[in-house]
Structures are given as structure tokens and as C-alpha cells.
Amino acid sequence: MKTIKYIAAFLPLASLLVSCNDDFLDRYPQDSVTNETYWKTEEQLRAALYPCYETFEYELLIKWAESTAETVIWGNKNSGLSKVSGGKHAYTDGFPFTSYWRYSYGHIHTCNNFLDNYNRAEIDQDVKDVYAAEVKVIRSWVYFMLTTFFGDVPWINHVITSEGAYGPRTPRSEVIDSLMTDLDWAASKLPHERQTGDNVGRIDRWGALAMKARIALQNERYDIAAKAAKEIIDDGPYDLYDYEKLYHLEGDIENNPDNNEAIISSIYVNDIRNNNMSNETCSPVDFIRFNPTKTLVDAYLCIDGMPAKPGLEYYKRTDIKTSPLYKYPEEHYADYFQNRDPRMRMTLFTPGDQWGGGDDGDAEYRRPNDIFQLPRFSSLQPGTLEITAKTQFLTGCSQVQVKQTIFQLRKCLVSNLNVIRYPEVLLIYAEALYKMNGTLTQTEIDETINRLRDRVGMHRMDLKELQQWNLDLWTEIKRERRIELSFDGMRYADIMRWREGELRFGRAITGPSLTVCMNDLGANPYPDTGVDEFGDVIYEKSRAEGGPRYFDPAMHYLWPVPYEERMKNPLLGQNPGWPE
């Protein structure tokens, strides 16, 4: 991975990255750099740009954006991340509320410091503006996250003094208006060509438009989202790559220029911008943090395009035509993976896969396996860690023992992380068109959803077949997005936008069916919590089963404004339903 040498100089109002080479470091020692002596050359602008890209950090991209939803569940059910989707969080919790609020505004501060000073560089204005445009795109992503989770938030677009830090929140709509303006300006300044070579990972015009499309869709500005997405589709240099290789080293954008799918990426920088993704999805010596849920497993269609079961998509519907290719009820763990959408095997560990997760759940206790067969539950095969393997039905890497257990994640992300991929642009366009017109034509489906299916050899979506099978187009658009973008950091935002909190959040966390557990493992790993209405073993109950997990639509569609921040600044107020 790319190694970028630089130091951080802590200024009175901001932290400033300096230097990409040793000579520059020698000329500007850390203790002498200030805003007054710095912003002169393009080399200095480039060096100051890097800490702005630190915004795309793993903590925010994946942990905040994905672990708080229900496609994956964090390995410790008592952690702040796990509490959110179960409605167990309190308004006074510091993590994740205060933590992510402060992380976000720390990154905004870094971006603002750049934007306040970049014009002082003694270089052509067009060159300066490219750097500033990148920073505005980055800052817009932070505000996208803040507004999605908190709603109204303070709009701060300059470095402020402590006296200026205590004011009310800005209405969400006004923040989004400002982001649209910023992104239009950025798109007008950024290069049309994909960034390669030494510039790989830097944002181009299409990245600005993709960010604009994402934010517009989230805020129901469907015409803007559709227009931005269509421009990328018609005129941009991006396209589809190999779905499975995307998440492995051979398909990394730094190693393979054929990967023209990653529009914005977070590039790994040794000792600076790194992450523990591989170890948190796949480790033989620690518990798995990211555990795929049974609802994700149930969401995968069969290879003929029909549902394996109604699932939560068609909850309590009895008229849904299901696939004759699927064996239901399942008798063995391997049954879940038979004749399913090929992306399932590319996302979740499937019996027969090679893996490096140590011992699995087979009968040979504490003997490492080279081939994955069954999830391991610590309650059945205890080891040095109180964990089991819930990562079997997850989304992708190797398996470990995790305290709760469902399925295993195979999407072994390399050190670089995707921020926005081209498939999201296709799905934004499809959703925006549907919301504007109330339907999609078959041609529009072929130009968007079926392009994604074609590349993995999946049965195409056909409007006539949907009608024959009693399937709903809107439901299937949402399903396609969940499957294609699993673990890309968009699940929480999607559920909030679709107002599906009551259906998706606050439900029991479940694993394989009791029948599968008895047949393959010889026991129920959670005998004290019973099974749910579908016959699946329960790891943690919802209130429907007498447990703690629930979702209150009067309050849980927004996070509480952090308690510590409100104590310092009462003008921030509180979101609806949360205690003052």
C-alpha cells in the first residue's frame, strides 16, 4: 500500500499535515510551521490536503455507518454500537453519540482550516481550486453523516473561535442547501479524468457528482439525485468491475487500474490511515466484531430470481411465490447457500470455502481448519475467549469465535476502503426515478439493476415475472441495494430514508434455525432464549419475546444530541422524543 511520509504540526486553530518527502520535512521542522509561514506552494497545499482525507477513516466509514444498523451486528451486544439498532441506547451515552459528533467536527475543523488558507498559495487559481474542491467534497460527506444521524446540526464552514462555537443548530435543509452549492462548485473545478499514478485516491469531478447524488437522494431531492447520477452514467469514466475482486488485494485500485468501479476510496497509509478491518471480520485469536445477521441471509434471492422465503421483505405475506430451487425448511447449514444469488457466496463464508479463521464449529474441537464448514459457538465449544462465530451469515472475511453467532463474513476488505462505488450511482438513479415516477420501465431496470445482476450471472429482474410472483418493484429495488452494497457503509442511512426502522431495528438477533443447530451442532447454542417466530435460535430477545430490543419511531429515527455537548451549549437543544 502507499506509504506517505508526513508530520502533523499542531497550530493554534488546527492540525496541519506537512510534507510528502524528506527534503520538505528538513526544510520545515514541526515546531516552526504556522499558518503565517506555511501556505505558499503547491507542494505545501498537497501536503495539507492529506489530513483532510483522514476524514474517510474506518471508524466513521464502517463502524459508525454499518455497525449501528442490522445487516451486521457488532460482536459485543452491550457495546454502544450494538445498542443503537436495538433501541437500548440512553441519551447520556458518550459512545457512540459524543464520540462520533466530536470525530466529525474535528474533521470539519481540519477541512475548514484548509479552506480558510489555501488561497494564500502563490500558484495559479485553477490549481488551488482543485485542492479546495476535493476538501469540499470530503467535508460534505461528514455533514451527510451528521445530518443523517442527528438531523439539524451546526453548520460551520470556517475555523471558529471558542466564542463562536456556542450557537443553535442549523436546520438540516439549510445544511443540505449549502452542500449542494459546495458540490456544484467542486464539480466545476475538479478534473474529468480518473486519478491514477501518484494521484490515485484523489477525488475527481465524478466523485463530487456521486457525493451530490448520494446526499440528494438521502434528503429526498430526487430530481437532483437523478440528474447527477445520469451524468456520471452517460459521461463518466467509471463502470463495473469484478464484484468479488473488489474486496481483495488483486482488485485494489492501487494494484489494478482495471478497477474503474471505485469512484471515491479511502487509501491506506502505513501508520497514519490504517484500519483493523481484516482482523475484525476474520481472526483466529479474537472475537469477530462484524457479525452478519440472519435477515441478510434471508434477503438473498435464489438464482432464478425468486425469493427463497418471504423474509422481512414480505413479512407475514402468504401469497409470495418462492423458488422451487430452495429447500425450506432448512435441515443443514449448507442448505442456506444452495442456488442463491452468486453475491451471497462472494459476501459470506460458505461451507467448503478456504479460510484462516482457526477452528470452526465442526466436531473436531480446538483443531484449526483450512476449510470452513460450520459456525462455532462458544457456548458449545468454549475456548479462551467467550465468543462464538456469528460471522457465518455476515458479509465477508474469515471466521472467528464471537459471543453471538449467526453467519460468517467473506468480504475480506483489503486495507483500502470504498467510499462510493459506481453501482451505488446506478442504484441511486433507479431509486430516484422510481420516487419521481412511481415505477421503472423495463429499459430503466435493464440499464441499472440488471447491469449489476448480469456481471455476477444472476437472473435478471423482469417486471412481468415480479407481477407473476406477487413481488413489489419498490421492495425489490430496496433488496437489490441491500445486497449489492452490503457492508459498504450505507445500510443505516438507507433504513432511515425508507422509514423502515419499525420493521428492521429492534428485532431479536437470531442465528440458524433450531433444526439446523440440532442436526449440525447437536444442540441449541442459546437454550435459554428460545426461538423466534421463524424457528431461528435467538441470541438476544426483542420486547416481543420479553427482551430489551425495540424501536420507537417517535425518537429513534434521529440520534439524541450528545449530552456532553448540550451541557456546554444548551442552545443545541434536543431531538424529538429524547429527554432534555
Side-chain angles (χ1 to χ4, degrees):
M1 297 299 168
K2 191 178 298 296
T3 300
I4 302 175
K5 299 179 181 178
Y6 59 87
I7 60 176
F10 294 96
L11 305 180
L13 296 180
S15 59
L16 176 64
L17 182 76
V18 296
S19 187
C20 295
N21 60 67
D22 296 329
D23 291 341
F24 186 68
L25 287 174
D26 291 339
R27 292 202 305 271
Y28 289 90
Q30 181 175 357
D31 60 2
S32 68
V33 179
T34 67
N35 273 331
E36 286 66 39
T37 63
Y38 192 70
W39 306 88
K40 303 297 181 184
T41 68
E42 183 177 359
E43 184 180 41
Q44 290 171 323
L45 280 188
R46 186 181 179 96
L49 178 67
Y50 288 121
C52 298
Y53 273 92
E54 297 304 304
T55 301
F56 295 136
E57 60 170 304
Y58 166 64
E59 185 73 37
L60 302 184
L61 275 171
I62 303 298
K63 285 188 178 180
W64 183 10
E66 200 72 52
S67 298
T68 51
E70 43 55 275
T71 283
V72 296
I73 297 293
W74 192 249
N76 179 356
K77 68 180 180 182
N78 295 316
S79 77
L81 294 172
S82 296
K83 288 180 179 179
V84 172
S85 65
K88 301 184 297 178
H89 43 307
Y91 75 102
T92 53
D93 287 349
F95 182 79
F97 308 131
T98 303
S99 300
Y100 288 144
W101 179 283
R102 290 180 179 176
Y103 290 165
S104 298
Y105 278 104
H107 289 303
I108 288 170
H109 178 84
T110 301
C111 292
N112 286 344
N113 188 67
F114 185 101
L115 294 170
D116 282 356
N117 289 284
Y118 84 96
N119 257 321
R120 296 165 57 188
E122 298 167 357
I123 59 176
D124 289 346
Q125 188 66 44
D126 289 347
V127 176
K128 291 189 286 189
D129 285 347
V130 168
Y131 289 93
E134 292 175 70
V135 174
K136 287 194 174 187
V137 176
I138 295 167
R139 186 178 66 183
S140 73
W141 178 77
V142 190
Y143 275 114
F144 161 75
M145 294 294 287
L146 284 169
T147 53
T148 297
F149 283 80
F150 294 102
D152 300 344
V153 295
W155 168 252
I156 301 172
N157 62 348
H158 293 285
V159 172
I160 58 175
T161 64
S162 58
E163 290 77 16
Y166 299 98
R169 290 183 287 162
T170 306
R172 177 175 179 168
S173 61
E174 293 182 19
V175 175
I176 302 305
D177 288 343
S178 297
L179 298 184
M180 295 295 102
T181 300
D182 278 354
L183 291 167
D184 283 340
W185 183 87
S188 73
K189 302 296 181 181
L190 288 166
H192 288 61
E193 301 78 20
R194 285 178 60 203
Q195 301 294 284
T196 59
D198 291 339
N199 288 322
V200 68
R202 291 183 63 184
I203 297 169
D204 56 26
R205 168 181 173 80
W206 314 105
L209 289 175
M211 189 66 71
K212 179 182 178 181
R214 173 189 282 186
I215 296 172
L217 183 75
Q218 188 67 28
N219 291 275
E220 301 180 353
R221 303 184 183 196
Y222 301 120
D223 56 336
I224 296 174
K227 182 179 179 181
K230 191 65 163 65
E231 183 175 349
I232 298 169
I233 294 169
D234 289 346
D235 302 327
Y238 293 93
D239 207 334
L240 299 177
Y241 178 57
D242 185 296
Y243 184 80
E244 188 168 20
K245 289 181 180 179
L246 276 170
Y247 299 93
H248 298 272
L249 190 60
E250 62 183 316
D252 186 270
I253 61 170
E254 289 185 279
N255 299 322
N256 193 336
D258 291 337
N259 177 2
N260 61 341
E261 182 167 318
I263 298 179
I264 302 180
S265 297
S266 174
I267 302 297
Y268 172 89
V269 182
N270 191 36
D271 295 329
I272 300 296
R273 189 192 308 135
N274 41 26
N275 63 72
N276 198 31
M277 172 70 75
S278 60
N279 199 49
E280 293 190 330
T281 57
C282 160
S283 167
V285 296
D286 198 0
F287 73 87
I288 297 176
R289 271 68 172 180
F290 297 102
N291 297 282
T293 62
K294 179 61 161 43
T295 64
L296 174 63
V297 172
D298 290 342
Y300 283 95
L301 295 170
C302 288
I303 194 66
D304 58 4
M306 301 179 75
K309 57 187 70 175
L312 290 183
E313 284 72 26
Y314 298 100
Y315 185 51
K316 294 187 176 181
R317 288 271 300 273
T318 60
D319 61 333
I320 301 301
K321 302 282 183 66
T322 56
S323 175
L325 301 177
Y326 191 73
K327 182 179 181 180
Y328 183 78
E330 305 87 355
E331 295 181 359
H332 298 283
Y333 188 74
D335 292 345
Y336 289 110
F337 301 89
Q338 299 302 313
N339 301 313
R340 306 295 287 273
D341 184 326
R343 288 170 291 188
M344 184 177 186
R345 288 175 175 263
M346 299 175 190
T347 301
L348 307 177
F349 262 101
T350 304
D353 284 344
Q354 293 186 348
W355 80 313
D359 190 16
D360 69 356
D362 64 13
E364 295 180 332
Y365 181 38
R366 291 188 177 178
R367 179 175 296 181
N369 300 82
D370 295 328
I371 302 296
F372 171 76
Q373 296 295 347
L374 294 170
R376 179 186 172 199
F377 294 79
S378 64
S379 59
L380 300 180
Q381 294 187 354
T384 56
L385 296 172
E386 187 187 351
I387 48 183
T388 68
K390 183 176 180 168
T391 319
Q392 274 72 10
F393 272 176
L394 199 32
T395 57
C397 199
S398 310
Q399 164 186 351
V400 221
Q401 300 93 286
V402 200
K403 194 168 184 180
Q404 57 281 28
T405 199
I406 303 191
F407 301 94
Q408 183 74 40
L409 192 66
R410 189 174 185 271
K411 251 181 188 171
C412 250
L413 296 173
V414 294
S415 296
N416 294 340
L417 303 176
N418 294 307
V419 180
I420 298 182
R421 295 189 292 124
Y422 182 72
E424 184 180 343
V425 174
L426 296 177
L427 292 167
I428 288 171
Y429 186 58
E431 183 174 338
L433 287 180
Y434 180 87
K435 284 296 187 178
M436 288 191 295
N437 303 323
T439 190
L440 295 178
T441 66
Q442 187 61 51
T443 298
E444 290 166 342
I445 292 172
D446 292 342
E447 292 173 346
T448 54
I449 291 171
N450 282 338
R451 290 190 62 194
L452 303 177
R453 294 192 178 189
D454 287 347
R455 73 155 163 183
V456 296
M458 175 61 184
H459 186 87
R460 305 188 105 209
M461 182 184 290
D462 183 277
L463 284 172
K464 294 179 180 178
E465 289 182 336
L466 295 185
Q467 186 176 19
Q468 293 168 6
W469 300 336
N470 296 321
L471 304 183
D472 173 69
L473 176 58
W474 173 231
T475 300
E476 295 309 312
I477 291 171
K478 292 185 290 183
R479 184 201 302 269
E480 192 69 25
R481 184 175 173 96
R482 182 182 194 183
I483 297 304
E484 177 66 32
L485 302 183
S486 65
F487 212 55
D488 272 13
M490 287 301 298
R491 183 60 177 167
Y492 189 95
D494 289 346
I495 291 175
M496 295 298 102
R497 182 173 72 258
W498 299 332
R499 307 298 285 184
E500 288 192 343
E502 295 94 319
L503 176 67
R504 299 290 181 178
F505 289 175
R507 302 186 68 86
I509 300 175
T510 61
S513 72
L514 178 60
T515 299
V516 167
C517 290
M518 297 304 295
N519 287 343
D520 288 359
L521 302 173
N524 180 353
Y526 308 121
D528 296 334
T529 47
V531 298
D532 72 354
E533 59 189 301
F534 303 112
D536 298 328
V537 299
I538 296 176
Y539 170 66
E540 185 180 33
K541 296 179 179 180
S542 71
R543 287 192 175 177
E545 299 91 13
R549 297 178 61 81
Y550 81 112
F551 183 90
D552 182 352
M555 59 192 297
H556 287 152
Y557 276 109
L558 290 174
W559 281 13
V561 179
Y563 177 78
E564 293 181 38
E565 298 302 314
R566 290 190 299 109
M567 293 302 99
K568 293 184 294 184
N569 180 14
L571 293 177
L572 290 174
Q574 182 57 289
N575 278 326
W578 291 99
E580 291 290 339

